[in-house]
Amino acid sequence: MAANPGGGSTDAGGGPVRHIPVLLAEVLEALAPAPGKLILDGTFGAGGYTSAILAAGADVIALDRDPTAVAAGQAMVAAHAGRLSLVHSQFSQLADYAPQGGLDGVVLDIGVSSMQLDEAERGFSFNKNGPLDMRMSASGVSAADVVNRAKLADLIRIFAFLGEEKQAPRIAHAIEKRRAETPFVTTRDLAGLIEIVTPRKAKDKIHPATRVFQALRIFVNDELGELAQALFAAERALKPGGRLVVVTFHSLEDRIVKKFFADRSGRATGSRHMPMVHERLATFDPIGKAMVSASDAEAEVNPRARSAKLRAGLRTAAPAEAADLSIFDLPNLASLGKLGA
């Protein structure tokens, strides 16, 4: 998943708000950066967290799957010679960049980048007409590929599970009918159809295309799978006493993080597919409150902080456990690879 500071369950359409790091003070308190420490920022984005961590005296390894974010961050790399490494990589691969002795901290800010939303050519926003793309890595299967090629039943499941869209069947049927005549090419193309199929009501607070765009973005970028793998990778990469801090903006993402920390607390009984047969040692102890949300004051200044949730854990000395994805109960959706050209 790409960079972030800012993003959320209702930001699929994007807006003009530029990058403001969300829950920054709370992230720094949980992460405890200091001179001599090495922190990995798995979602560099515009460098909001990285900049604050460097200012606190720690060194940083930063990752981002978006090549434009990596290119834009080179000035920050030059300004902190020797203290910041910026790598083009998915954060699910973060363990590959950890030193042998382990990391002191990992921070992940999950969601879509403000920069990506603001660039029409990236195809994330229905507020700005552009190609129906949504690929954070600028490669692979696009949103247009999914909309034009996925089976009807798969579209319904994607919209229902990842967008929690109640009108998923109606919208998917309309897409199937329309694409038989003319394939979808642009963001306004798709948003326009959804506006016709599910017109906005006076009481609606969000655009009718919001949930479908959110679902497509999550699916195209395998955001839930990336997050799950990144949590396992952080468990392997952190040294004893290291800190994992995760900020999410969507209930599906927060559920994954919550399940991970519960499973790794030593209190869970194991996945339903692999019943526990021996005592388990905790690999993470909680840091502070189980969940921290943005204050009213922050939400007022930065609307994207309204849905943000922070969870954090302190790595114990217990060995990392198996990367068993069944603990997350992820939805079984269509294979992304089969929708490519």
Side-chain angles (χ1 to χ4, degrees):
M1 201 171 308
N4 180 5
S9 60
T10 59
D11 67 0
V17 179
R18 294 298 294 180
H19 165 79
I20 303 175
V22 172
L23 288 170
L24 179 59
E26 293 83 355
V27 165
L28 293 177
E29 181 179 355
L31 198 58
K37 291 191 175 183
L38 179 59
I39 309 293
L40 187 143
D41 180 353
T43 48
F44 177 76
Y49 288 165
T50 287
S51 180
I53 295 167
L54 288 166
D59 293 344
V60 178
I61 300 170
L63 311 181
D64 204 298
R65 71 193 290 184
D66 186 343
T68 59
V70 174
Q74 293 310 308
M76 187 180 293
V77 173
H80 295 84
R83 295 186 55 215
L84 170 62
S85 300
L86 179 54
V87 183
H88 181 213
S89 175
Q90 299 176 203
F91 63 40
S92 59
Q93 307 298 315
L94 68 88
D96 294 345
Y97 304 97
Q100 191 167 7
L103 295 162
D104 294 294
V106 171
V107 59
L108 305 172
D109 185 344
I110 312 302
V112 68
S113 164
S114 304
M115 297 182 299
Q116 292 165 345
L117 290 174
D118 291 345
E119 296 169 358
E121 63 272 19
R122 302 299 300 273
F124 287 95
S125 173
F126 50 74
N127 288 325
K128 299 178 179 180
N129 197 24
L132 189 56
D133 194 306
M134 301 192 190
R135 296 173 297 180
M136 293 178 178
S137 64
S139 62
V141 174
S142 70
D145 293 330
V146 177
V147 170
N148 290 319
R149 297 172 183 169
K151 295 178 181 177
L152 174 64
D154 290 332
L155 282 180
I156 294 174
R157 287 174 60 81
I158 290 168
F159 299 159
F161 281 109
L162 302 183
E164 298 175 316
E165 173 55 68
K166 295 179 180 178
Q167 302 296 327
R170 178 187 291 187
I171 295 171
H173 277 283
I175 288 174
E176 184 185 47
K177 182 179 180 180
R178 156 56 209 279
R179 72 187 184 187
E181 302 170 355
T182 308
F184 290 87
V185 177
T186 68
T187 54
R188 285 305 307 163
D189 207 8
L190 177 59
L193 177 78
I194 296 173
E195 288 170 353
I196 295 171
V197 175
T198 57
R200 192 169 191 168
K201 300 175 183 176
K203 64 179 182 180
D204 291 343
K205 296 181 180 179
I206 63 173
H207 188 280
T210 298
R211 294 188 177 88
V212 167
F213 270 62
Q214 170 188 290
L216 287 169
R217 191 201 78 226
I218 293 174
F219 181 72
V220 164
N221 297 289
D222 187 24
E223 294 183 16
L224 302 186
E226 274 287 301
L227 173 57
Q229 293 293 351
L231 296 173
F232 292 140
E235 183 183 44
R236 296 192 300 272
L238 285 167
K239 64 174 62 170
R243 293 164 177 255
L244 172 59
V245 182
V246 188
V247 178
T248 62
F249 297 84
H250 187 282
S251 59
L252 294 173
E253 299 160 347
D254 180 60
R255 205 173 302 154
I256 289 173
V257 179
K258 183 179 179 181
K259 286 182 176 179
F260 175 76
F261 280 129
D263 185 79
R264 269 29 184 181
S265 70
R267 298 190 298 272
T269 58
S271 78
R272 58 190 174 92
H273 301 297
M274 299 178 65
M276 185 179 68
V277 295
H278 57 81
E279 183 179 358
R280 297 173 63 198
L281 298 174
T283 59
F284 282 97
D285 291 328
I287 297 175
K289 294 170 59 178
M291 188 276 290
V292 177
S293 57
S295 65
D296 292 342
E298 180 174 1
E300 181 69 24
V301 175
N302 183 9
R304 284 175 174 164
R306 291 174 183 165
S307 59
K309 294 180 179 178
L310 182 155
R311 296 183 188 273
L314 186 71
R315 186 71 170 88
T316 70
E321 295 202 21
D324 175 15
L325 286 171
S326 70
I327 67 172
F328 300 117
D329 285 328
L330 296 175
N332 183 22
L333 301 174
S335 170
L336 188 60
K338 292 182 178 178
L339 298 175

